[in-house]
Amino acid sequence: MSKILTVGEPMALFVAEQEGSLEEVEQFSRFVAGAEVNFSIGMSRLGHPVTYITQLGNDPFGKYIEIFLQQNAIDTTNVSYEPGYVTGMQWKQKVSSGDPEVFSARKNSAASHMNLETIANLNWDGFDHIHLTGIPPALSAGCREMVYELMKQARERGVQISYDPNLRPGLWSDKQEMVRVINDLACQADIIFPGISEAQLLTGLEDVQEIAEYYHAAGVKTVVIKLGAKGAFTSSEGEQFYTEGFPVKEVVDTVGAGDGFAVGVVSAVLEGLPLKEAVRRGTAIGALAVMSPGDNDGLPDRNGLETYMKKSQPII
């Protein structure tokens, strides 16, 4: 299996056990949140070794997160502790439909203080792929510089790069800067996974084919635009196609669906499957992700994935 690298901010997540506003709910269940955490767990469950780079606070939640990553067979060699700062935390509403309200306490967190020193001793030996998102560049100037350097080193070494914009406007002080930085990073990747609304905001274009051409012109080989329940649109080296979404019995939590989608596509590509099959796997894992309460609870192992894909037919 391919060896994968990623970097991000894992957070302690508290999910409400009853529906209602966060200020009213009294009981919460604890999970671990973070787009890159979700991606790492999904890849690990499918048998792909993942190394996760991050900084945690020297507090109970930081230690809980490291143990959680290790329990999910994720390499924590490059996880360090920053004693002067705390681990980020997040609270999420329970909803029966729509996106939940999410409140984060991550400003000045330990992860936001990552910088070039964080990756100074990184050993690239054996890595085939690096997955990055638009979240770390939003945390601080130091994190942004680190991500640019990771992109540079990956390209120099011929390591394949996948990139999910994962826009977090609330973490940016300036919308124009967000668009500029995210697009700049996206255009250095081999594969990108914008959601349709993200892609429209980033490019100023509405049509999926025009959006794909925008990124192709900047050097991106493969553009996969997530269309929610409708599936995805893919454009790569002259090949363009739509992929239908898989049926969802009940939407429990939409957070993490995009990360699951990236897991499906990247894992299949690394396994040498045709791109159409890779995107179909992505839509399947995305569907599984929204049917579970935590951000990564629904991410399947290989048997679970194969069983679901055999018995479920995409939405036509």
Side-chain angles (χ1 to χ4, degrees):
M1 289 295 182
S2 298
K3 188 178 177 184
I4 299 150
L5 182 67
T6 192
V7 59
E9 177 176 26
M11 293 179 289
L13 170 65
F14 300 90
V15 179
E17 294 187 355
Q18 302 85 30
E19 292 190 18
S21 64
L22 289 176
E23 59 264 31
E24 296 173 341
V25 175
E26 295 182 352
Q27 295 181 324
F28 295 80
S29 297
R30 187 177 67 170
F31 299 90
V32 174
E36 300 84 4
V37 168
N38 302 335
F39 178 83
S40 298
I41 290 173
M43 295 298 289
S44 178
R45 287 180 184 166
L46 294 178
H48 292 273
V50 182
T51 294
Y52 193 102
I53 302 171
T54 194
Q55 279 185 175
L56 301 168
N58 190 18
D59 50 52
F61 298 119
K63 295 171 184 176
Y64 156 64
I65 288 170
E66 183 177 20
I67 292 170
F68 176 83
L69 293 175
Q70 292 171 346
Q71 289 173 338
N72 280 276
I74 296 168
D75 176 27
T76 58
T77 303
N78 289 277
V79 171
S80 59
Y81 285 87
E82 181 60 56
Y85 304 96
V86 298
T87 303
M89 293 184 285
Q90 198 172 72
W91 289 261
K92 185 166 66 174
Q93 183 185 31
K94 180 179 180 179
V95 295
S96 54
S97 63
D99 294 333
E101 174 192 358
V102 178
F103 175 78
S104 300
R106 66 196 304 180
K107 186 176 182 180
N108 208 32
S109 66
S112 71
H113 286 81
M114 290 189 288
N115 52 40
L116 290 178
E117 291 185 8
T118 308
I119 59 171
N121 298 315
L122 178 63
N123 183 354
W124 284 88
D125 289 350
F127 286 112
D128 306 292
H129 188 96
I130 182 169
H131 179 73
L132 300 167
T133 80
I135 299 175
L139 299 178
S140 67
C143 283
R144 193 174 312 161
E145 190 176 16
M146 174 190 66
V147 171
Y148 270 102
E149 182 61 22
L150 284 169
M151 281 272 199
K152 176 177 175 288
Q153 292 187 21
R155 288 171 68 89
E156 289 174 348
R157 290 166 171 78
V159 175
Q160 186 181 62
I161 304 169
S162 59
Y163 189 78
D164 188 336
N166 245 310
L167 296 185
R168 298 291 188 272
L171 297 177
W172 294 86
S173 58
D174 181 83
K175 178 182 174 182
Q176 290 183 333
E177 182 184 34
M178 176 185 74
V179 170
R180 178 185 62 80
V181 172
I182 296 299
N183 271 335
D184 191 26
L185 290 167
C187 292
Q188 298 181 54
D190 299 294
I191 310 171
I192 62 171
F193 302 108
I196 181 60
S197 59
E198 291 178 324
Q200 290 168 342
L201 189 156
L202 289 169
T203 65
L205 302 169
E206 294 292 322
D207 181 73
V208 290
Q209 292 184 340
E210 292 181 356
I211 291 168
E213 289 304 320
Y214 174 94
Y215 286 111
H216 288 322
V220 181
K221 177 183 175 183
T222 302
V223 180
V224 187
I225 302 173
K226 296 172 286 187
L227 304 175
K230 295 181 180 179
F233 171 79
T234 302
S235 180
S236 179
E237 298 184 312
E239 178 184 25
Q240 293 187 337
F241 57 89
Y242 285 91
T243 303
E244 294 86 3
F246 275 71
V248 173
K249 292 181 180 179
E250 179 185 4
V251 176
V252 176
D253 188 344
T254 58
V255 177
D259 305 320
F261 181 87
V263 166
V265 178
V266 171
S267 63
V269 166
L270 292 176
E271 291 163 23
L273 296 182
L275 189 55
K276 284 188 177 181
E277 292 184 32
V279 179
R280 184 171 180 267
R281 180 188 287 187
T283 60
I285 298 182
L288 284 167
V290 304
M291 292 189 280
S292 298
D295 289 10
N296 43 62
D297 284 28
L299 299 174
D301 60 17
R302 196 162 291 274
N303 287 335
L305 173 62
E306 291 175 356
T307 299
Y308 176 72
M309 292 186 72
K310 285 179 181 178
K311 74 177 183 180
S312 302
Q313 293 297 322
I315 299 169
I316 304 297

